[in-house]
Amino acid sequence: MSKRGDRHDHAPHAHHRPGRLGGPPRKGPTPITADHTPAHRRAAPDQAARLRHLPDTERDIIRLASDPRFTRWLEQVTATGACTHPIHLAGSTTVHDRATGEVLHHYDTTGEPGERLLIRCRNRRASICPTCSRLHAGDTYHLVRAGLTGGRNVPGTVRDHPRLFVTLTAPSFGPVHRSTDGQPCRPRRGGARCGHGRPLACREQHAPQEPRVGQPLCPDCYDYPGHVLWHAHTGRLWKAITDNLYNHLAARTGRTRGGVRRAVRISFAKIAEYQKRAAIHLHAVLRVDGGEGPGKRPPPWADAATLASAVRSSTAAVRLAIPYTPALGERELCWGTQLDIRPLRAFGDDESLTDDAVAAYVAKYVTKGADETGAGLDRRIRQPEDIATARVSAHVRALMGTCWRLGGLRELGALNLRAWAHTLGFRGHILTKSRVYSTTYAALREERAEHQRGEDGGPVPAGLDAETVSAWRYVGSGHSPGGAALAAGIAADLDRNREEVREIRGGPW
């Protein structure tokens, strides 16, 4: 029998002290490291308490920075241009040779932070994502400018073709307050009043940013159904102009419509803009090409003056009848009487606009959202209660309510007005163009992607017949509070770099 002191003669791992209360034997001594010292154990609760008292954003920043893949997360955010609301994707892409089946390139998100890939949201509204809206504005500038001066798939000779910048407005749906340069809003002799007892005159002087500008003098007299229906048919009203242009050109030149269609081709790009009264008006660039397209010069008789005259008569002749409904009766839609037509010149003069000025104006406006225009919302309305709680003017709220009510009529079901109540019934895209006017957004994005891939063309060798197999799924969007703060800092750095490059190059984009 061994004595009590003999236990020190054996190796530490041979025998262990019995556990308390006859439990299992204890394991060998635990090595003491810097992270497991008594001082560290006493400091851990204090550190956790300090973290709990930090704001949520700072705690989230610490969490992100402590991740071993934080550097890769920063690379992803920078690659998206510090997008404010990025899309999170999970999946993989495999590129293999069709002939041999050899895998040329494979990528999946299992090794990414959070097993997801961040891509741009591509939202055009600066109030939602400033970085993506700036990229969209740049693409819009090049798209519009290419149709005026050439470039991409458009020959440079279009610079010498007749071109116009046209502004079309909606008709009047009732008198509204307006801003004037030091003049009364709506001077009117006498004390005339409408049928609801409200005065028809306003002798006040309104500043452009005053809330009352654009609001009707009498909301009960204002034709809200006509306003909404005009928005819903803006696309058809514009198509009526472009279809009738050839007829009016034929009438002015003494030719047949078929002869005009064979001799010239009219291309356009247009943008929709909300006025102060929350009514859409259109800015359009019109260009006359030869019958074969942009590469052919138009005949001498198709000059800018003749085209401008045809636009005026074609716009005035548009009449669009709305089918009869018991609730609204029979209506006829037309364009407003305010029509502005200005010729475009490559370098401009006293009476014309420059190509760059028009392209920059369109690019600037295309990024405006509802917060800047004050007309509607940037999100769809799901229920009538959303209209009552929307932070809009009473005039805009009445227009959205009219959209919702008219959308419930069976006769107007094809207009889908409830789905477009947030845009006051306007169902078109902000920017549209004809097919041969210039390049497309997709082509510009592909060109930018090729530039980013570099001269080697990416991981796939040139000349191989490769096939790409992709499987992606949506797993989320946006940033956490700490991620949003870090992304904002990256965006500020990128903006500062762009400003320095712009100063060096001296260009607007």
Side-chain angles (χ1 to χ4, degrees):
M1 178 179 296
S2 61
K3 297 182 179 180
R4 182 179 179 133
D6 293 342
R7 67 178 182 269
H8 299 289
D9 299 331
H10 298 279
H13 61 273
H15 298 280
H16 304 288
R17 294 182 180 181
R20 296 180 60 186
L21 303 179
R26 298 179 182 177
K27 295 183 179 180
T30 303
I32 298 177
T33 63
D35 294 340
H36 292 83
T37 61
H40 180 272
R41 288 194 295 270
R42 288 192 300 270
D46 297 337
Q47 183 178 3
R50 287 196 298 270
L51 288 177
R52 285 195 297 269
H53 286 84
L54 289 176
D56 294 341
T57 301
E58 295 183 10
R59 287 207 308 268
D60 194 46
I61 291 176
I62 295 174
R63 177 188 64 82
L64 290 172
S66 303
D67 193 316
R69 290 173 289 188
F70 177 63
T71 302
R72 175 56 184 164
W73 181 86
L74 290 177
E75 292 176 355
Q76 285 202 31
V77 173
T78 305
T80 63
C83 174
T84 306
H85 200 76
I87 307 300
H88 300 193
L89 299 179
S92 63
T93 295
T94 304
V95 183
H96 60 82
D97 191 344
R98 289 180 185 270
T100 64
E102 177 187 0
V103 176
L104 305 175
H105 175 69
H106 177 76
Y107 169 80
D108 61 59
T109 57
T110 55
E112 299 288 0
E115 297 187 356
R116 56 187 61 190
L117 176 68
L118 305 184
I119 64 173
R120 289 180 177 270
C121 68
R122 293 182 181 177
N123 197 298
R124 67 170 181 83
R125 298 174 178 86
S127 58
I128 296 179
C129 184
T131 59
C132 289
S133 68
R134 184 195 174 279
L135 191 66
H136 190 84
D139 288 346
T140 302
Y141 175 83
H142 290 292
L143 185 148
V144 176
R145 189 176 185 274
L148 296 174
T149 63
R152 273 65 184 182
N153 59 339
V154 182
T157 54
V158 298
R159 183 188 294 265
D160 300 323
H161 294 191
R163 297 160 305 158
L164 300 176
F165 186 65
V166 181
T167 300
L168 303 103
T169 60
S172 174
F173 304 106
V176 298
H177 292 278
R178 55 190 179 183
S179 63
T180 56
D181 297 333
Q183 301 295 326
C185 171
R186 288 192 174 273
R188 192 184 183 100
R189 294 181 179 179
R193 295 179 176 271
C194 68
H196 303 93
R198 295 185 176 91
L200 297 177
C202 178
R203 297 179 177 84
E204 297 184 26
Q205 299 178 7
H206 304 308
Q209 301 303 324
E210 187 176 333
R212 278 195 297 172
V213 174
Q215 305 295 306
L217 271 67
C218 178
D220 296 325
C221 293
Y222 194 85
D223 186 10
Y224 284 103
H227 190 146
V228 168
L229 291 176
W230 194 91
H231 273 181
H233 292 86
T234 303
R236 291 182 59 186
L237 290 167
W238 169 255
K239 189 176 185 303
I241 292 179
T242 57
D243 290 345
N244 291 339
L245 266 179
Y246 294 98
N247 292 334
H248 290 261
L249 279 175
R252 274 160 177 72
T253 59
R255 291 168 173 80
T256 63
R257 174 185 171 87
V260 171
R261 290 300 297 262
R262 288 189 296 269
V264 300
R265 184 169 188 172
I266 301 175
S267 301
F268 69 87
K270 66 177 178 68
I271 183 174
E273 180 181 1
Y274 284 94
Q275 296 175 297
K276 287 292 186 180
R277 55 175 175 152
I280 285 288
H281 66 168
L282 300 182
H283 299 294
V285 177
L286 297 179
R287 188 188 69 218
V288 182
D289 303 324
E292 299 176 3
K296 183 73 172 179
R297 291 182 61 89
W301 51 264
D303 56 7
T306 304
L307 178 62
S309 178
V311 169
R312 289 190 181 91
S313 58
S314 176
T315 303
V318 171
R319 292 293 183 274
L320 183 61
I322 302 299
Y324 172 82
T325 60
L328 302 175
E330 186 175 356
R331 288 176 174 263
E332 187 178 67
L333 304 179
C334 63
W335 288 97
T337 57
Q338 294 182 352
L339 176 64
D340 182 64
I341 302 177
R342 303 180 65 179
L344 292 177
R345 296 289 185 269
F347 302 102
D349 53 36
D350 294 339
E351 298 180 356
S352 62
L353 296 172
T354 62
D355 301 334
D356 289 344
V358 170
Y361 174 81
V362 173
K364 179 181 178 180
Y365 188 81
V366 79
T367 62
K368 290 186 178 181
D371 292 341
E372 297 178 80
T373 61
L377 301 173
D378 287 330
R379 64 184 186 280
R380 289 199 170 185
I381 295 173
R382 304 298 180 184
Q383 53 189 356
E385 290 74 13
D386 296 339
I387 301 176
T389 57
R391 300 180 63 181
V392 295
S393 64
H395 178 54
V396 172
R397 183 174 290 106
L399 286 169
M400 292 192 295
T402 303
C403 283
W404 193 268
R405 289 192 298 272
L406 296 183
L409 298 179
R410 182 181 303 176
E411 303 90 332
L412 302 177
L415 299 179
N416 205 15
L417 290 175
R418 287 189 174 179
W420 298 99
H422 64 296
T423 59
L424 314 183
F426 178 68
R427 303 184 297 160
H429 294 284
I430 291 296
L431 178 78
T432 55
K433 70 177 189 65
S434 57
R435 186 171 60 88
V436 300
Y437 172 78
S438 68
T439 184
T440 62
Y441 283 120
L444 291 172
R445 287 194 292 266
E446 179 61 26
E447 183 179 347
R448 182 165 54 250
E450 291 181 359
H451 173 74
Q452 292 173 348
R453 285 194 291 265
E455 297 180 356
D456 57 355
V460 181
L464 290 180
D465 185 12
E467 181 181 9
T468 303
V469 179
S470 301
W472 295 94
R473 69 182 187 278
Y474 170 83
V475 294
S477 61
H479 284 299
S480 61
L486 294 174
I490 296 174
D493 292 340
L494 294 176
D495 287 340
R496 193 157 45 247
N497 292 341
R498 278 192 291 265
E499 290 296 333
E500 294 178 358
V501 172
R502 185 180 295 115
E503 291 179 1
I504 296 173
R505 295 183 177 180
W509 298 102

